[in-house]
Amino acid sequence: MSDAVTTPRTKTEVKTQRPRLHKVILVNDDYTPREFVVVLLKGEFRMSEDQAYRVMITAHQRGVCVVAVYIQEVAETKANRATEMARSKGYPLLFTTEPEE
Ligand code: NFA
């Protein structure tokens, strides 16, 4: 048999599906102490003092700041845990999530 007959004319491209990432967003408010926000960011999102301070002050000045990106379930769990921790101390601090473009 000749090559012309046995060589496939179409190729199947295998594409890996990567999960969409979701952003965790820190929302500013007028009541939660700055230092508490920093402590929470360090504890829940494993940030250094420096990183946590920069994220806190960015949200304070601009209204919101992206904290990190994770797969959807992790982003939602972390945002809810951090928000709950603030609630348990009586603060209105809010973390939200949204899909990355
Ligand atoms: N704006 C708060 C304050 O001045 C600090 C804060 C920063 C709260 C970021 C929430 C998010 N005490």
Side-chain angles (χ1 to χ4, degrees):
M1 238 195 272
S2 73
D3 278 356
V5 174
T6 57
T7 305
R9 271 162 293 185
T10 57
K11 281 184 184 166
T12 307
E13 214 181 308
V14 178
K15 288 201 172 158
T16 309
Q17 298 279 328
R18 271 184 236 84
R20 270 179 97 199
L21 296 176
H22 285 238
K23 297 182 275 195
V24 174
I25 297 161
L26 169 65
V27 182
N28 186 40
D29 67 72
D30 291 339
Y31 304 101
T32 309
R34 293 180 181 204
E35 189 50 36
F36 180 80
V37 179
V38 171
V39 167
L40 205 52
L41 289 171
K42 290 200 293 184
E44 186 62 35
F45 300 97
R46 310 199 146 276
M47 293 182 157
S48 68
E49 177 79 27
D50 249 44
Q51 288 175 300
Y53 184 83
R54 263 178 267 160
V55 167
M56 180 282 293
I57 210 70
T58 300
H60 177 73
Q61 290 169 345
R62 302 167 73 123
V64 290
C65 184
V66 176
V67 177
V69 294
Y70 304 99
I71 60 168
Q72 180 171 17
E73 196 192 328
V74 175
E76 286 171 356
T77 302
K78 283 181 175 283
N80 289 338
R81 276 173 51 114
T83 299
E84 272 311 307
M85 251 181 264
R87 289 294 177 285
S88 76
K89 301 279 184 216
Y91 299 129
L93 186 63
L94 180 64
F95 290 83
T96 62
T97 64
E98 68 174 59
E100 262 202 336
E101 305 80 50

